[in-house]
Amino acid sequence: VQLQAFGGGLVQAGGSLRLSCAASGLTFSSYGMGWFRQTPGKERQFVAFIKWSGSSTYYADSAKGRFTISRDNAKNTVYLQMNTLKSEDTAVYYCAATTYFGGGSFYSSRGVYEYWGQGTLVTVSS
C-alpha cells in the first residue's frame, strides 16, 4: 500500500493550495481518508476526513470554512483544497486511510488509521 501526498509548497497568507493524495495497493473506495498536519515538536493533528463514499466530511475547527476535502474514487485520489491560508497553517500535511467508521470523533484519532502517506510541506508566508 502506498499513499503519496503532493501539492505542497510556499504560498502567501490569504492564498490557496490544493493537496492531493494518490493511493495504490488498496481498494480505495473502501477506505475513509483523512488529512493531518504536523509542525516540529508537536503532535500530528487532525485536519479533515471524508467517508469512503464521499457522503460525509468532518473538519477540525481550524479548517472549517476554509478547507474542503473531496475524493475521486475513480482516480484513487483524495484532495484537500485550502483557501485563505494563514501562517499557522504552515506544517507537513499527511494523508491517511482507514476502514474504520465508528461513533464520536473517531476520525480525529491517529490510531484508527491503517496507512499513512509520507507528507507534503506547506509553508505560508505572512
Side-chain angles (χ1 to χ4, degrees):
V1 174
Q2 188 172 19
L3 301 178
Q4 188 167 7
F6 55 96
L10 175 63
V11 62
Q12 288 188 334
S16 298
L17 275 178
R18 188 176 82 155
L19 305 183
S20 301
C21 173
S24 60
L26 76 170
T27 305
F28 182 72
S29 59
S30 296
Y31 284 78
M33 298 297 296
W35 284 98
F36 285 72
R37 66 187 184 187
Q38 188 171 22
T39 54
K42 294 190 176 181
E43 291 187 350
R44 197 168 295 185
Q45 295 182 325
F46 169 73
V47 176
F49 175 85
I50 187 166
K51 192 177 178 181
W52 61 272
S53 62
S55 59
S56 298
T57 57
Y58 306 91
Y59 297 92
D61 287 343
S62 59
K64 287 178 182 176
R66 298 189 300 126
F67 294 4
T68 302
I69 188 171
S70 62
R71 66 189 297 156
D72 186 337
N73 285 348
K75 295 183 178 180
N76 287 3
T77 302
V78 62
Y79 306 97
L80 185 67
Q81 177 67 43
M82 304 187 294
N83 298 329
T84 320
L85 283 162
K86 306 175 182 179
S87 57
E88 50 262 45
D89 295 318
T90 295
V92 177
Y93 284 72
Y94 298 88
C95 57
T98 180
T99 53
Y100 183 77
F101 192 86
S105 56
F106 72 93
Y107 42 82
S108 64
S109 172
R110 297 187 303 275
V112 306
Y113 291 88
E114 298 154 51
Y115 303 107
W116 290 84
Q118 85 288 0
T120 185
L121 176 62
V122 172
T123 303
V124 183
S125 63
S126 56

